[in-house]
Amino acid sequence: MALLTFGWRTALLLFASIEMLVLAAALWQPLANRTANRILSCLLIVLVGVILPFAIGFAGFYDRFPWLSFAPFAVPLAIGPLLYSYAYSLAFAATPPRLALHLVPALAQFGYQAVIFPLPLSVKNHWDAIATPVLAPILMLALIASLAGYSIASLRILRLYRIALAQQRSDDDRLSARWLSRAVVALLLLLAISLAYAAWNAFIAPLDYFGVIGRYLAIAAIGCYLAIEGWRHADLRLAPIPVPSNDEPPAPSRDWRAQGAAWASQVRDANWQRDPELSLAALARMLGTNTAYLSRALNEGLGVSFSTFIAGLRCDDVAATLRSGSEIDLLRLALDAGFGSKASFNRSFRARFGLSPSAYRRAHASNPK
C-alpha cells in the first residue's frame, strides 16, 4: 500500500486552500456588497477545487486511494465567469444578465466528472485511456478562451466603472477597486504561464506531475491575493453609480465655461471640496442645480471630470499652504483638504503641478508668499 507523504508542495497548497476557505466563509457575512462578496466567495471555493487535486496528489492520495480519480473537485471553467460576475457586481451592484448561461460550460464540466466518478475503477481507467487524449486538448482550449475572454471583459467593466465613478464621486480613487484590476492582470499572466507549460509539454519535453507545480503555486497566490483584498474591501460600498438626472435638460445656448468658473468660485469660497465623500449629487444640491447641469459645466465648460475638478481645488488649497512656508505634515494637509489617502493626494498633486508635494514645498521654502 502506497504511503502518504506531506512535503513542501502539499503544505503550501493546503495552507493557501485553508486561507481561501476561511476568507470565503467570512465573505458570506457582510451586508455591504452582498452580491459581489458572495460571488467572490464562490470563486475562491472554485480556486481551492482547482488546486486541491494537486495538493493531495503530491501527498500520494491518488496512489493510496485510486478510486478518487475523476472526483469532481476541479471546475476551472467556472473561474472566468465568476471573475467577470464579481467585477460586474462591484460596478453595478447586481449579477450580470444571463449568468446561468455563462456557467453552462462549468456545469457541464462538473457533471461530466460527477457522472464518471462513482463508476468502478476498471471502467474509469478504461474510459480515461480512451477519452482523455481527445478531451484534454479541447478542455485546455476552452479554458484558455474562457480565461482570456472573461478577463478582458472584466477589465473593460472596471474601466467603464472608473470613468463613471470619476464623474460622480470625489473619492473615486478610494472606490476604484484597482486591486481587482491587478488580480485580473495576474490571471492573464497565469494564462501566459499556462500556455508556456502547454507548449513545453507538447513540443519540447513532456512534463510529469511535479513539473507543473509552478502553475498551481501561481493559482494559489492569486487566490490568496483575491481573498485578502476582497475581505479588506468587503464593507466598502463601491456601487452602484447613480445615473445623472435628466429632468432638466441643459440649454444649448448657455455659456458652460462661465458657468463652470462661477460654480468653481462658489465651491472654493464655501470650502465644500474638503468633504472627503463629496459626490456630484451632493454638490449639485449645494449649488442649487441638478447633476446634468453641473456635469456639463465641468465636462464641457472646464474640460474636467467631477473627480479631477474637486481634486484640483484640494491641491490648490495644499499648494497655497505650502507656499506660505507652513511646516505642517503633508499627510495632515492632505486629509484636511479632503483627500482620503496620501497616495491619491500625491497622484493628484503631481498631475496638477508637475511636482511631488515634498518637491513643491522645497521649491517654495526660500520664497514664502
Side-chain angles (χ1 to χ4, degrees), residues 161-162 165 169-178 236-239 241:
Y161 166 69
R162 292 188 188 110
L165 192 66
R169 297 291 295 263
S170 65
D171 54 347
D172 61 315
D173 190 73
R174 181 176 69 92
L175 304 176
S176 61
R178 295 188 187 280
L236 192 60
R237 296 185 180 275
L238 300 177
I241 297 298

Side-chain angles (χ1 to χ4, degrees), residues 249-315:
S253 60
R254 177 170 290 198
D255 184 347
W256 293 111
R257 184 172 182 177
Q259 182 64 82
W263 278 337
S265 178
Q266 189 175 345
V267 173
R268 188 182 294 109
D269 291 342
N271 280 325
W272 288 328
Q273 75 276 9
R274 291 179 179 268
D275 179 359
E277 297 183 1
L278 185 64
S279 67
L280 180 76
L283 185 59
R285 287 193 297 271
M286 295 173 187
L287 291 169
T289 185
N290 61 32
T291 55
Y293 271 65
L294 181 54
S295 287
R296 193 158 181 179
L298 297 178
N299 299 162
E300 296 182 23
L302 302 182
V304 294
S305 68
F306 172 73
S307 172
T308 301
F309 168 68
I310 296 299
L313 294 180
R314 291 169 177 170
C315 288

Side-chain angles (χ1 to χ4, degrees), residues 6 24-26 75 79 96 106 109 125-126 133 146 150 195 207 234 237 250 262 264 283-284 329 331 337 352 360:
F6 291 87
V75 190
I79 296 175
Q109 185 178 27
N125 289 339
H126 181 67
S146 175
Y150 282 112
L195 288 172
L207 295 170
R237 296 185 180 275
L283 185 59
D329 179 70
L331 178 58
R352 190 161 184 82
Y360 190 92

Side-chain angles (χ1 to χ4, degrees), residues 98-113:
R98 300 179 294 277
L99 175 58
L101 289 178
H102 290 275
L103 292 172
V104 165
L107 293 174
Q109 185 178 27
F110 176 83
Y112 168 73
Q113 297 175 82

Side-chain angles (χ1 to χ4, degrees), residues 27-43 82 85-90 92-96 99 234:
L27 283 166
W28 207 258
Q29 305 304 320
L31 295 178
N33 302 318
R34 172 175 285 187
T35 299
N37 288 331
R38 293 189 173 183
I39 291 174
L40 178 57
S41 179
C42 293
L43 175 57
L82 288 176
S85 299
Y86 180 53
Y88 187 98
S89 61
L90 282 179
F92 303 111
T95 55
L99 175 58

Side-chain angles (χ1 to χ4, degrees), residues 140-163:
M140 177 60 71
L141 290 175
L143 180 59
I144 290 170
S146 175
L147 288 178
Y150 282 112
S151 294
I152 292 170
S154 299
L155 290 174
R156 185 179 303 150
I157 286 289
L158 291 171
R159 177 177 174 274
L160 293 175
Y161 166 69
R162 292 188 188 110
I163 291 172

